Amino acid sequence: MASLFHFQDLWQARDLLLFGLGITVLLTLGVIPISLAFGICLGFCRHEATWLRPFATLYIELLRSIPLILFLVFIHYGLLPLLVAHPSFYLSAFLTFILFESAYFAEIIRGGLRSIHQIERDAAISLGLRPWQQRLYIYLPLACRRSLPALMGQCVSLLKDTSLASIVGVIELTRAGEIIYERTFHDFEVLLTLAIVYFLLCYSLSRISQHFEQAAPALQKLKFLQS
Amino acid sequence: MTDIFRAGFLAIPRQQLDAGLSLGLSRFQTFRLVLLPQALPLILPPLGNQLINLAKNSSLLAFITVEELFHVIYTGAVEAFRPMEYFLVGAALYITVSLGISGLVILFERLYRQGCYTDTLSRWELRHG
């Protein structure tokens, strides 16, 4: 029995690990669309000279200069108990990631919007599109396509950041591993496995993003741009 | 950080290096007098971003019980049972640090644009040949 590594404990606790993996993936996949939508709105607000601009700027700059972990405990222990009697930690983690990532997504989208040339702007106007049509059909696809690598990079870092949710009690992948090695004391094996799992997840995400980047010119062939 | 510096130096055309060498400068002199002054404005903004990220990520050290800002705030909040106050003060402190770093970057950029770096270089060259 004197083997160097003890992976059999890990195998016995595979249900817990799979549960954690599921929560991590669900958290990531759930947060991305909502925070992306919110981030696009914020990005447009900060890009255009409206009365909303100072508020969007304040929101983005504030959230971008606070560490995620501080924001997480602030939401879970400080803010949410004021609004809800007994906030679930899933709710607070979900809310935190949405608010936090939307600030980053907004900044990335704004970078894409800034790269839109005056010629493209003029073309959109001369097509006779209404302002909201220009935004929806011209500026948004252009900005998204140009900032696609940065957006996918942010998604990868979101996936890694979900490990912080363990501090408020969410049993995701990192916390599941922690529970196992606190029980068995085989921390090296567990952490090595976690590192490999996180690497596989992030690597597959970045491979998907490369696939998207190569497929991006196909976006030009969308119906509304042809007609 | 390596990537930031690499991107900055890759943005300079190779001919600049050749030109520096053909003037009889050594490789180090070419780097210091020709390449670095051109790469610096490209490197500074992402470097500032990276520094702010580093300052924020230092809060993760609390996980291995390093006594840094977040750890102090968190234990304080738990002991006093006043999360709102402690975390707001903590957020304000972190924002101050980030604003300080970005202010420094802006200051450096302004100094660079006013020619401080190149001035210092040429003065140093005059004195030490």
Side-chain angles (χ1 to χ4, degrees):
Chain A
M1 266 308 285
S3 67
L4 193 55
F5 298 117
H6 301 79
F7 283 103
Q8 68 271 24
D9 301 325
L10 213 63
W11 179 247
Q12 279 163 8
R14 61 188 180 279
D15 285 346
L16 184 59
L17 269 185
L18 282 178
F19 175 76
L21 179 66
I23 293 293
T24 293
V25 172
L26 270 183
L27 202 55
T28 312
L29 292 184
V31 164
I32 286 174
I34 303 175
S35 59
L36 192 58
F38 192 30
I40 287 171
C41 298
L42 270 174
F44 270 107
C45 285
R46 195 179 174 187
H47 180 67
E48 286 166 19
T50 54
W51 60 273
L52 277 169
R53 185 189 231 166
F55 298 105
T57 310
L58 186 70
Y59 177 85
I60 293 169
E61 291 300 326
L62 273 186
L63 280 196
R64 268 162 49 91
S65 46
I66 298 175
L68 177 54
I69 186 173
L70 184 79
F71 192 56
L72 187 61
V73 291
F74 173 71
I75 292 281
H76 186 65
Y77 296 117
L79 197 63
L80 268 188
L82 296 180
L83 307 174
V84 195
H86 294 288
S88 132
F89 37 69
Y90 291 109
L91 175 70
S92 50
F94 201 61
L95 196 64
T96 307
F97 285 122
I98 285 173
L99 293 178
F100 197 78
E101 293 301 321
S102 62
Y104 282 85
F105 280 137
E107 213 41 10
I108 293 169
I109 292 289
R110 191 174 70 98
L113 286 174
R114 274 175 62 116
S115 80
I116 290 174
H117 207 267
Q118 186 61 42
I119 296 171
E120 288 158 330
R121 226 176 278 280
D122 293 342
I125 295 169
S126 65
L127 279 174
L129 297 175
R130 293 169 191 283
W132 68 266
Q133 284 176 323
Q134 293 169 19
R135 284 178 203 128
L136 192 60
Y137 296 144
I138 311 287
Y139 304 151
L140 183 59
L142 280 175
C144 281
R145 198 188 310 151
R146 280 171 196 170
S147 50
L148 197 59
L151 283 176
M152 293 308 278
Q154 192 57 40
C155 291
V156 170
S157 81
L158 166 65
L159 178 67
K160 292 190 284 180
D161 282 345
T162 53
S163 64
L164 289 181
S166 62
I167 199 176
V168 292
V170 178
I171 301 179
E172 36 68 69
L173 193 52
T174 309
R175 182 72 192 126
E178 222 170 65
I179 291 170
I180 295 170
Y181 75 68
E182 275 165 4
R183 206 187 286 155
T184 62
F185 297 107
H186 299 311
D187 40 13
F188 177 76
E189 292 86 340
V190 174
L191 291 176
L192 186 70
T193 313
L194 287 193
I196 292 170
V197 172
Y198 271 113
F199 169 77
L200 287 178
L201 282 176
C202 293
Y203 185 69
S204 50
L205 243 184
S206 68
R207 282 312 294 263
I208 292 172
S209 87
Q210 280 172 9
H211 176 76
F212 270 139
E213 277 163 45
Q214 281 158 8
L219 287 175
Q220 283 172 326
K221 291 170 189 149
L222 283 177
K223 272 280 183 291
F224 58 76
L225 286 182
Q226 275 183 339
S227 58
Chain B
M1 280 235 184
T2 317
D3 240 29
I4 293 170
F5 282 100
R6 201 180 67 99
F9 284 111
L10 274 183
I12 305 166
R14 217 203 118 73
Q15 285 85 338
Q16 295 286 330
L17 175 70
D18 297 337
L21 290 178
S22 72
L23 284 173
L25 300 173
S26 72
R27 277 196 87 89
F28 180 61
Q29 276 175 324
T30 315
F31 174 76
R32 194 162 47 90
L33 302 173
V34 181
L35 300 184
L36 197 56
Q38 297 181 63
L40 218 50
L42 299 176
I43 289 172
L44 265 178
L47 195 64
N49 269 346
Q50 195 58 35
L51 278 181
I52 292 176
N53 265 340
L54 181 63
K56 288 193 306 169
N57 284 344
S58 70
S59 62
L60 296 182
L61 289 177
F63 267 117
I64 53 169
T65 62
V66 177
E67 282 279 332
E68 42 69 61
L69 182 56
F70 177 72
H71 192 256
V72 172
I73 289 166
Y74 190 69
T75 46
V78 170
E79 277 164 16
F81 215 69
R82 292 222 165 273
M84 202 68 172
E85 291 85 340
Y86 273 85
F87 293 146
L88 277 182
V89 171
L93 287 174
Y94 272 109
I95 289 167
T96 319
V97 171
S98 312
L99 283 183
I101 295 174
S102 65
L104 268 183
V105 169
I106 291 170
L107 179 73
F108 277 136
E109 278 182 337
R110 192 173 299 158
L111 283 179
Y112 181 83
R113 231 178 294 133
Q114 287 166 358
C116 261
Y117 178 75
T118 35
D119 279 359
T120 322
L121 266 187
S122 45
R123 229 175 290 136
W124 198 86
E125 283 300 309
L126 280 180
R127 209 176 303 147
H128 301 278

